[in-house]
Amino acid sequence: MVHQIAYVSASHGPLDEDALSAILDVSRRNNERDGITGVLLYHDRIFFQTLEGSEAELDACFGRIRQDPRHSAVSVMWQGEAERREFPDWTMGYAGPAEIGRFARGSEAVLDRIRRGGGAGKATKSIALSIAREIFSEFSSRSVRPM
């Protein structure tokens, strides 16, 4: 069994490519060290991230994430055990606006509600996890090299 956590948060400001690259570089290094895999989605100042690994390592990682001053309104959408990793080859996969836009399928209103501070109910969890899984599936089918 593997522990998983999925959350959303709001960036304090727009992030450019250099800032996102810096976040990904540190995340990949730390995740490789700690045996954590996952994917980060960023669009319109909203982060969505799914992480998976041992419960102890995820607790420590998520503690660091909650303290990161670059974002706020960290809201756990799902946390629990799974039989297997969804992102086994990705120390930190990434999808930006172009990839998210192709897979959102009308969920823009939900993402906008999250950005404005609305709740993260069942429908939101379902859409967010669905987007992450679809992006992973699409990247895998195109043989895109995970990071």
Side-chain angles (χ1 to χ4, degrees), residues 90-143:
W90 291 7
T91 55
M92 185 48 54
Y94 173 74
E99 295 84 5
I100 293 170
R102 289 201 320 262
F103 295 98
R105 294 195 181 134
S107 64
E108 294 84 3
V110 173
L111 293 173
D112 186 54
R113 188 175 75 235
I114 293 168
R115 182 166 34 88
R116 288 190 327 261
K122 259 188 181 173
T124 305
K125 177 178 86 171
S126 173
I127 290 168
L129 292 175
S130 175
I131 291 170
R133 286 187 179 126
E134 285 190 50
I135 290 171
F136 174 73
S137 176
E138 174 70 14
F139 285 176
S140 296
S141 71
R142 290 187 296 163
S143 299

Side-chain angles (χ1 to χ4, degrees), residues 46-60:
I46 297 293
F47 289 107
F48 167 75
Q49 188 168 35
T50 300
L51 297 167
E52 49 196 16
S54 76
E55 188 171 4
E57 295 295 349
L58 278 187
D59 285 347

Side-chain angles (χ1 to χ4, degrees), residues 4-35:
Q4 297 175 323
I5 188 166
Y7 74 91
V8 294
S9 66
S11 172
H12 285 294
L15 298 175
D16 62 18
E17 197 171 305
D18 290 339
L20 286 168
S21 290
I23 290 170
L24 291 169
D25 287 344
V26 170
S27 296
R28 289 173 179 144
R29 197 169 40 252
N30 290 343
N31 290 354
E32 184 170 3
R33 176 196 67 211
D34 297 337

Side-chain angles (χ1 to χ4, degrees), residues 79-95:
Q79 184 171 353
E81 297 291 323
E83 290 185 25
R84 64 181 174 80
R85 291 177 187 254
E86 293 291 328
F87 309 101
D89 299 325
W90 291 7
T91 55
M92 185 48 54
Y94 173 74

